[in-house]
Amino acid sequence: MRRRAPLALLLCGAVAGCGQSARGADVPPPTAPPLSAPAPTASPPPQADVPATGEPVPLGRVAGWRITTYYTALESLYDGERKAVRGCARFHCSHGKAPLGSYPKDFLKVVQTEGSGRITEGPERGRYLNWSHSVGFWLDDTTRDSRGRPLRAWASAAADRSVLARGRRFVILDCGEDGGGRAVEDEVCAAFRKARWTVTDLFRPGYGGQNHADVYIGEEKGSRLAGSPFYTTLSGATLVGS
């Protein structure tokens, strides 16, 4: 699901000297957790907005939401023909022409859909290859939301600004069904219900729509078809403010 480019990129793309140097290959790569449900904690689950009546306040239509997921691709899971990529070698840049390395074509395709991928081979190992329609490819030390801040697994979400404003917090009260019309597995639904989501990302115009939110679930683990059950769509979900 395509989201908007980080605002910082758009602002600095036209300003000479704005930005940071790319990190060298001799710097130890950052570690990233695998895609999984949030770990149990001793703290209580997030609470929904509860008025004086004691009932949570639904956002939009009850059982009327479609919830999709987005994630960070992992290069080691792809083995397609490698393709050289050009773009920005630093964060604050737009439509650069610097060589960024060669990557599997199937990995690049997913990065262009999901917005980010962690590099696992070559001199940029441990860094991220990010992509935006408004910016193109760029190398970075983290994933980014549309304001240039790191995405947070099981916390960051995207929506059309006319549906859920930036900064709006919500909880998935009921999961509804999966994309195939089946009941969502209990452990999968429990993980989605436990999380407290904040809209930090925005859809490009035409990619969002009414009653649709996209939630970020971290780094890819296994193929989308044979991997985690958290690669799913919740149809007929109910959201409440938190």
Side-chain angles (χ1 to χ4, degrees):
M1 194 59 60
R2 292 179 171 84
R3 285 158 290 280
R4 292 184 60 187
L7 180 60
L9 293 179
L10 300 179
L11 292 177
C12 291
V15 181
C18 181
Q20 307 172 26
S21 297
R23 180 170 59 80
D26 57 334
V27 179
T31 57
L35 177 62
S36 60
T41 63
S43 60
Q47 298 298 310
D49 289 342
V50 179
T53 60
E55 294 294 329
V57 179
L59 295 175
R61 196 158 48 88
V62 173
W65 286 87
R66 182 168 67 96
I67 308 297
T68 52
T69 58
Y70 62 113
Y71 58 92
T72 295
L74 189 63
E75 183 190 7
S76 61
L77 298 175
Y78 301 86
D79 57 5
E81 179 185 353
R82 300 186 78 83
K83 177 182 178 181
V85 172
R86 290 182 176 271
C88 294
R90 63 183 67 187
F91 173 36
H92 296 303
C93 170
S94 177
H95 295 294
K97 301 298 182 182
L100 305 182
S102 296
Y103 305 95
K105 287 184 177 180
D106 46 355
F107 172 69
L108 294 175
K109 183 177 180 180
V110 175
V111 169
Q112 288 181 290
T113 300
E114 303 300 326
S116 65
R118 185 160 70 89
I119 302 166
T120 59
E121 298 181 20
E124 302 296 345
R125 177 177 175 269
R127 301 194 72 204
Y128 292 83
L129 181 67
N130 293 337
W131 187 89
S132 160
H133 177 78
S134 301
V135 175
F137 286 107
W138 79 93
L139 292 175
D140 208 325
D141 293 321
T142 186
T143 57
R144 302 282 178 182
D145 66 20
S146 57
R147 282 190 169 174
R149 297 170 299 191
L151 292 172
R152 295 184 299 130
W154 294 91
S156 298
D160 190 297
R161 71 173 72 218
S162 65
V163 177
L164 293 175
R166 190 197 301 274
R168 188 62 165 103
R169 289 183 170 187
F170 66 88
V171 170
I172 298 173
L173 185 66
D174 183 76
C175 297
E177 300 176 334
D178 66 16
R182 298 174 295 270
V184 179
E185 296 178 27
D186 289 345
E187 66 171 317
V188 173
C189 185
F192 281 104
R193 292 185 62 186
K194 178 182 176 181
R196 174 179 287 172
W197 308 95
T198 301
V199 177
T200 62
D201 243 341
L202 298 174
F203 289 127
R204 283 180 55 208
Y207 282 89
Q210 293 293 325
N211 304 311
H212 178 200
D214 207 21
V215 296
Y216 178 66
I217 56 177
E219 187 173 285
E220 184 177 21
K221 181 181 180 183
S223 72
R224 177 143 192 158
L225 295 179
S228 167
F230 299 106
Y231 299 117
T232 190
T233 295
L234 308 180
S235 299
T238 298
L239 306 188
V240 294
S242 68

